[in-house]
């Protein structure tokens, strides 16, 4: 019996702590399942609000029941239940959660808990997790769910400040940005996150969060990125020059499918959605011809105006290209008579378009009827599009999306960048180009990357190897009860 208890205690216990957002919860649940498949104990720390949504709209509870060593743990985000929790209040969400999470993590990482935590995997924005982990002698591995290219831009920001490039002088948004190798001659000012354009960027909450994040990365035990070598090799190389323990293990969604291939029936119905998925979208796609539909989704956060929606609606309808459009109930900004407005949009595009409140995106992008993706350039969406070999039109808004959209167009050559433009004639032209004129050009490039993505997560591939190395690293961590130090 003592020997059995000793074996159980030697199994690493990983605490995973995601940002309270759809995209990061999705990525970290995929990582959690990969770690469970490797035989590790995993505790997934979610907010009460998002856990309720997750249980309501996905099958995570039944899916994770097959792993006895997995458990969900929830905490309050410190906000009232009727708080909108939209991107416009993101700063409030993060600061409110911090007041709850800091004391909770200190207790979780103490020596008196029943199941001591071997290591923490937390989002990069939770900089305080690194501080608490170091204080308690528990290694923290940062998981940055943004694109590696944007993370590298973040890490270069001190150089830009030192060189006098930030804050920008003048209003020339197309001026090239220097001091960000290997993107010299590629990135323009307009491709950087919005806070880089502010004269008082040092007082901006988003900017402050980023600088705290990049200050803590060197103090973390390691860094996880959702990408693969053949996609982001130059940026990964730059990051590893400062942080050798960087594990590129993506595309996570496809990596999980590959490792879980022995149980495909469980995986086919998997979902990590905080929204109710409308599967009538798949029935509609079934009735369309191959490669004829452009899928339109601005992700789980973007908030747009009535005018912007109408520009996209007219551009899509005028292109004569069939479209499937995801329009979340909370996507419209300051719009009265929302239901009537939506009804008019749906009625006006019958025969050409199909509008749903949320769609099972991985299934949609894998559908043979879908020939392209009009996207906000969120990193999960970009990787899913690459994996399925679907070229993109990018309309980025936040964080890494602006860097990613530039690379989609100019570095990987797998789509078009419509950054800072919302005009029906431009939308119409780009949709016609992507789905017709330039279709073969971008399709060829993205299908090549798709094959490389699939190779990377197969046995012998770079991401497969990197995940094994990460798991070995976690298994090699031993907490000493005597002094709380880490012995490897």
């Amino acid at each position: 019996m003592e020997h059995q208890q000793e074996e159980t205690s030697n199994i690493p216990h990983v605490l995973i702590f995601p940002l309270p957002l759809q995209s990061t919860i999705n990525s970290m649940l995929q990582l959690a399942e990969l770690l469970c498949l490797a035989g590790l104990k995993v505790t997934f720390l979610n907010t009460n609000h998002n856990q309720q949504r997750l249980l309501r709209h996905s099958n995570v509870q039944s899916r994770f029941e097959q792993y006895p060593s997995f458990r969900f743990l929830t905490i309050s985000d410190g906000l009232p239940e009727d708080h909108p929790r939209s991107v416009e209040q993101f700063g409030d969400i993060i600061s409110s959660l911090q007041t709850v999470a800091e004391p909770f993590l200190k207790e979780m990482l103490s020596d008196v808990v029943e199941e001591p935590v071997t290591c923490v995997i937390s989002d990069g924005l939770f900089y305080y997790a690194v501080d608490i982990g170091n204080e308690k002698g528990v290694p923290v591995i940062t998981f940055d769910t943004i694109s590696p290219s944007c993370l590298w831009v973040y890490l270069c920001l001190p150089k830009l400040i030192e060189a006098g490039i930030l804050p920008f002088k003048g209003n020339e948004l197309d001026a090239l940005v220097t001091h960000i190798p290997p993107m010299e001659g590629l990135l323009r000012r307009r491709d950087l996150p919005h806070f880089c354009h502010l004269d008082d960027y040092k007082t901006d909450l988003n900017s402050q969060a980023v600088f705290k994040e990049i200050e803590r990365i060197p103090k973390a035990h390691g860094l996880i990125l959702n990408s693969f070598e053949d996609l982001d090799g130059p940026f990964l190389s730059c990051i590893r020059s400062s942080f050798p323990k960087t594990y590129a293990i993506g595309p996570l969604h496809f990596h999980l499918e590959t490792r879980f291939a022995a149980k495909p029936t469980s995986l086919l119905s998997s979902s990590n959605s905080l929204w109710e998925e409308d599967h009538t979208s798949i029935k509609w796609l079934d009735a369309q011809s191959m490669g004829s539909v452009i899928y339109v989704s601005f992700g789980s956060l973007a908030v747009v105006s009535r005018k912007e929606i109408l520009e996209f609606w007219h551009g899509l309808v005028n292109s004569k290209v069939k479209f499937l459009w995801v329009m979340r109930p909370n996507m419209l900004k300051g719009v009265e008579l929302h239901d009537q407005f939506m009804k008019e949009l749906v009625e006006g595009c019958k025969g050409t378009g199909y509008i749903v409140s949320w769609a099972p995106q991985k299934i949609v992008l894998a559908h043979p009827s879908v020939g392209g993706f009009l996207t906000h350039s969120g990193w999960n969406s970009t990787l899913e599009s690459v994996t399925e070999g679907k070229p993109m039109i990018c309309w980025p808004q936040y964080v890494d999306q602006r860097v990613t959209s530039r690379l989609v167009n100019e570095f990987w050559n797998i789509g078009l960048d419509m950054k800072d433009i919302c005009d029906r004639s431009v939308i119409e032209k780009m949709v016609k180009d992507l789905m017709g004129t330039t279709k073969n050009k971008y399709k060829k490039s993205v299908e090549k990357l798709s094959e490389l993505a699939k190779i990377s997560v197969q046995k012998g591939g770079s991401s497969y190897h990197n995940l094994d190395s990460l798991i070995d690293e976690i298994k090699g961590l031993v907490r000493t009860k005597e002094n709380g130090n880490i012995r490897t």
Side-chain angles (χ1 to χ4, degrees):
M1 178 66 71
E2 287 183 6
H3 177 68
Q4 188 176 8
Q5 288 177 343
E6 184 179 343
E7 282 187 349
T8 303
S9 66
N10 286 335
I11 298 174
H13 177 202
V14 182
L15 175 66
I16 296 181
F17 186 24
L19 272 179
L21 301 174
Q22 170 70 79
S23 57
T24 50
I25 290 171
N26 184 32
S27 296
M28 290 205 179
L29 278 172
Q30 290 162 355
L31 175 60
E33 195 158 3
L34 284 165
L35 296 182
C36 287
L37 288 170
L40 277 60
K41 294 179 184 175
V42 176
T43 296
F44 194 91
L45 183 59
N46 210 356
T47 64
N48 295 326
H49 177 82
N50 284 329
Q51 185 68 9
Q52 290 170 12
R53 293 179 63 193
L54 193 63
L55 294 177
R56 191 181 311 127
H57 300 306
S58 78
N59 63 351
V60 290
Q61 185 161 337
S62 60
R63 200 165 81 246
F64 277 93
E65 282 176 353
Q66 64 187 304
Y67 307 112
S69 58
F70 176 89
R71 65 169 176 159
F72 280 112
L73 200 60
T74 61
I75 57 173
S76 168
D77 59 13
L79 297 171
E81 190 54 38
D82 60 355
H83 191 282
R85 293 174 175 82
S86 72
V87 69
E88 295 169 310
Q89 292 88 25
F90 186 65
D92 294 340
I93 298 170
I94 297 304
S95 59
S96 176
L97 178 57
Q98 182 174 349
T99 61
V100 178
E102 280 190 308
F104 185 88
L105 286 174
K106 287 177 181 178
E107 182 179 351
M108 277 289 293
L109 304 190
S110 67
D111 289 324
V112 298
V113 294
E114 185 176 342
E115 289 189 83
V117 173
T118 307
C119 74
V120 178
I121 296 177
S122 67
D123 192 277
L125 278 182
F126 294 145
Y127 65 89
Y128 52 87
V130 177
D131 295 339
I132 294 170
N134 289 338
E135 175 192 331
K136 298 292 185 180
V138 180
V140 175
I141 301 173
T142 295
F143 184 2
D144 255 301
T145 55
I146 63 173
S147 66
S149 56
C150 187
L151 177 60
W152 177 238
V153 169
Y154 284 171
L155 293 169
C156 289
L157 289 179
K159 295 179 184 177
L160 270 64
I161 295 168
E162 185 180 346
I165 296 170
L166 282 181
F168 293 135
K169 299 171 183 64
N171 299 315
E172 181 47 63
L173 293 179
D174 288 321
L176 294 174
V177 179
T178 59
H179 292 73
I180 309 181
M183 290 187 268
E184 301 283 350
L186 176 66
L187 286 186
R188 308 158 300 178
R189 291 179 179 180
R190 73 168 68 249
D191 301 316
L192 299 188
H194 279 302
F195 66 80
C196 293
H197 300 263
L198 302 175
D199 292 334
D200 57 345
Y201 67 90
K202 289 184 179 179
T203 62
D204 176 71
L205 291 178
N206 292 324
S207 173
Q208 290 175 1
V210 166
F211 278 98
K212 287 176 182 176
E213 176 181 354
I214 63 177
E215 286 170 3
R216 296 317 193 280
I217 288 177
K219 300 177 183 179
H221 187 81
L223 175 64
I224 300 171
L225 296 172
N226 185 12
S227 189
F228 58 101
E229 304 293 336
D230 285 307
L231 183 69
D232 277 312
F235 317 117
L236 293 171
S237 179
C238 289
I239 293 170
R240 288 192 180 108
S241 66
S242 299
F243 315 112
K245 286 187 179 180
T246 296
Y247 304 93
I249 60 174
L252 270 171
H253 73 283
F254 195 70
H255 203 155
L256 179 58
E257 290 177 25
T258 303
R259 298 240 179 178
F260 208 38
K263 300 178 181 179
T265 51
S266 298
L267 193 67
L268 285 174
S269 60
S270 70
S271 169
N272 298 323
S273 180
L274 301 180
W275 301 85
E276 183 177 358
E277 295 175 336
D278 187 340
H279 284 262
T280 64
S281 55
I282 306 303
K283 292 181 181 179
W284 183 82
L285 287 174
D286 288 341
Q288 312 308 317
S289 57
M290 184 175 293
S292 65
V293 176
I294 186 164
Y295 172 57
V296 184
S297 175
F298 301 139
S300 60
L301 288 176
V303 178
V304 296
S305 67
R306 179 188 182 113
K307 181 180 178 181
E308 288 170 324
I309 288 291
L310 286 173
E311 290 300 311
F312 274 99
W313 187 89
H314 283 289
L316 288 163
V317 171
N318 293 343
S319 75
K320 309 297 185 187
V321 173
K322 295 286 186 72
F323 61 89
L324 169 62
W325 191 352
V326 170
M327 212 175 291
R328 300 185 332 269
N330 66 343
M331 192 173 83
L332 299 180
K333 179 166 48 179
V335 175
E336 296 180 1
L337 302 175
H338 170 273
D339 292 343
Q340 181 60 31
F341 179 57
M342 290 300 301
K343 183 178 179 181
E344 291 171 3
L345 293 179
V346 171
E347 288 294 324
C349 67
K350 275 187 176 178
T352 303
Y354 193 70
I355 298 175
V356 295
S357 59
W358 198 247
Q361 182 163 290
K362 285 190 293 182
I363 301 174
V364 167
L365 287 171
H367 200 284
S369 293
V370 173
F373 187 9
L374 203 172
T375 173
H376 65 305
S377 293
W379 190 234
N380 281 354
S381 292
T382 301
L383 285 175
E384 289 167 5
S385 198
V386 166
T387 303
E388 298 303 334
K390 303 297 166 71
M392 290 162 269
I393 297 172
C394 303
W395 193 60
Q397 301 298 307
Y398 312 115
V399 198
D400 60 332
Q401 299 167 13
R402 302 182 69 78
V403 177
T404 299
S405 66
R406 180 65 169 171
L407 297 187
V408 164
N409 185 206
E410 295 290 335
F411 188 72
W412 298 311
N413 297 307
I414 56 176
L416 301 165
D417 186 2
M418 198 168 62
K419 184 185 287 104
D420 300 331
I421 298 172
C422 188
D423 177 85
R424 64 186 67 183
S425 61
V426 175
I427 295 164
E428 176 187 347
K429 184 180 185 306
M430 284 199 174
V431 170
K432 286 179 176 177
D433 284 349
L434 191 80
M435 300 296 287
T437 312
T438 59
K439 182 176 183 178
N440 291 336
K441 169 188 170 184
Y442 294 122
K443 189 172 176 60
K444 184 178 179 181
S445 297
V446 75
E447 285 180 345
K448 181 179 178 181
L449 281 177
S450 173
E451 286 304 311
L452 293 171
K454 292 169 183 175
I455 291 170
S456 76
V457 297
Q458 293 170 4
K459 194 167 186 178
S462 61
S463 293
Y464 193 102
H465 169 76
N466 290 338
L467 177 60
D468 281 353
S469 296
L470 172 64
I471 292 168
D472 288 343
E473 180 72 24
I474 294 172
K475 286 180 176 179
L477 296 172
V478 178
R479 283 192 70 189
T480 58
K481 295 181 180 179
E482 293 81 5
N483 56 20
N485 293 328
I486 301 301
R487 183 173 69 242
T488 58

